Amino acid sequence: MQLVLDYLKRNQARFVAELCDYLRLPSVSAQPQHKKDLRACADWLAKHCRQIGLEAGVCPTQGHPIVIARTPASAAGQRAKRRPHFMVYGHYDVQPPEPLELWKSPPFEPRLAGRSVFARGATDNKGQHLAHLKAVEAYLKTGTPLPCDLTFVIEGEEEVGSANLAKFLKSHRNELNCDAVVVSDTGMPDKNHPALTCALRGIIAFEITVHGPARDLHSGTFGGAVDNPAMALSRLLAQLRDKNGRIAIPGFYDDVAPLSACERRELKRLPLTNARLKTLLGVPKLFGEHGFTPTEQRSARPTFEINGLTSGYQGKGSKTIVPAWARAKITCRLVPDQRPARIRKVVCDYLGKICPPTVRLEIEAGHGAEAYRVSPTSPQAQAALRALREAFHREPVLLREGGSIPIVNDFKKVLGADTLLLGLALPEDNAHSPNEKFDLDCFENGQRMSALLWQELTKQPTGGGE
Ligand code: BES
Ligand code: ZN
């Protein structure tokens, strides 16, 4: 094992240069003009996997391709009939970088500053899964036998809802059958607190369009005699959440799993204070549902958020029109026991009920996923905690997180495998925001954690987790 750890230490400068090469590829899955860049990124990644000694290929899908890479049979130490097999999941697609003018340096020209590398996708998720690849490289290049087989599944559609991956899992069920899935695509509260995430929120996405007149109208000639779709949409949206942050849609909270006293105690122990959160986010005052702490609000309570709002003239200067339509892009975060289909229905029913007769409402459904929960007391979770402790030289914490990784539900349903969420992102990494970065200490500690993890996991009886 010392050989592996020494190899990691010796090669950090090259690893950072490789991360920068990876970050130069603008793999923005949401934007059709980047389709070729996603393919190029998948090709780069598969080639990189082969260079470090993995068997790798690019699998086309109806959307962006999936990269699969495996440890060769020769890499394993024991010749047992059935070696433990773990999957590492990550995503090479990134969020749109806009608004570009807010970046200190261009999003696809990685910039090193202190212990950070700035670029879109640095923390979410290229840096995080590259840490796992560098750990396996260290085993393969030092001839250190791996105690298990590993399969990397790195997809290109996570940021747009993973539409094609579940089907892929089903059709490759046999080769992907594994003892657990390891994912580093979550966070840690700060550099001194490595974390095992035990819950993620689910999500539903949809677009609401309010249609008014058949075309944009002169607001002087016709304004006053027709409803204004932007006003109508604003009125609709304003009725969906009360001034205390509670969602005002009947039935929305019906199935919400309450927080146990024990969970609330655990969440209170986390090091992020409200004052630091306020400063970090640049808000004049924190806001949220009464009766819950900000940590609870952003991890264990459901939300209704407007992600985008569009109507009328968006150019410079003024234009006197009544717009023909107004649109809002919405996502709701869901917590355990809320069912995406049911929440979609209560939202649509309520919008239909409160929509005035002066406009026509159209609701287009998007992606959806349930919340995820995994036991922190299973032997696998305990093994992960030991690897975190040893790699970071710090006591790990247990987290519930507010983001979503929809596919982890399918890992359980299709493959029967639990997911260990071992995130390396810091709150100040600016995931999905301008000036995204990844911390190079997290990168290096993450590589060590990954290297140690395979040893710790295989000390355990495999094939279950609960
Ligand atoms: N890395 C995030 C998920 C995440 C964020 C987990 C924060 C825990 C804390 C992932 O890349 C992501 O952004 N997922 C999307 C999924 C959605 C598009 C279906 C999300 O949460 O918005
Ligand atoms: Zn993301």
Side-chain angles (χ1 to χ4, degrees), residues 91 93-95 123-125 158-160 185 333 404-405 431-432 436:
H91 61 95
D93 66 320
V94 304
Q95 284 275 319
T123 192
D124 187 6
N125 169 258
E158 194 274 346
E159 298 291 10
V160 288
D185 193 23
R333 296 287 167 172
S404 312
I405 307 178
H432 294 206
E436 178 177 347

Side-chain angles (χ1 to χ4, degrees), residues 197-200 256-270 292-293 295-296 299-301 335-337 372-376 398-401:
T197 291
C198 307
L200 290 171
V256 168
L259 273 155
S260 69
C262 168
E263 281 178 304
R264 299 191 91 160
R265 251 196 328 273
E266 194 61 37
L267 290 176
K268 279 219 170 64
R269 289 180 41 210
L270 297 177
F292 296 93
T293 67
T295 304
E296 291 168 350
S299 65
R301 296 294 294 167
V335 298
D337 299 347
Y372 185 70
R373 237 178 171 164
V374 64
S375 161
L398 300 178
L399 288 188
R400 280 186 77 145
E401 286 204 89

Side-chain angles (χ1 to χ4, degrees), residues 365-413:
H367 55 77
E370 286 161 35
Y372 185 70
R373 237 178 171 164
V374 64
S375 161
T377 57
S378 72
Q380 292 178 339
Q382 293 300 311
L385 289 169
R386 287 196 299 277
L388 285 171
R389 193 176 293 124
E390 200 177 331
F392 285 80
H393 307 295
R394 293 281 188 282
E395 195 51 38
V397 292
L398 300 178
L399 288 188
R400 280 186 77 145
E401 286 204 89
S404 312
I405 307 178
I407 201 68
V408 295
N409 293 302
D410 299 284
F411 293 150
K412 185 73 187 179
K413 279 185 212 146

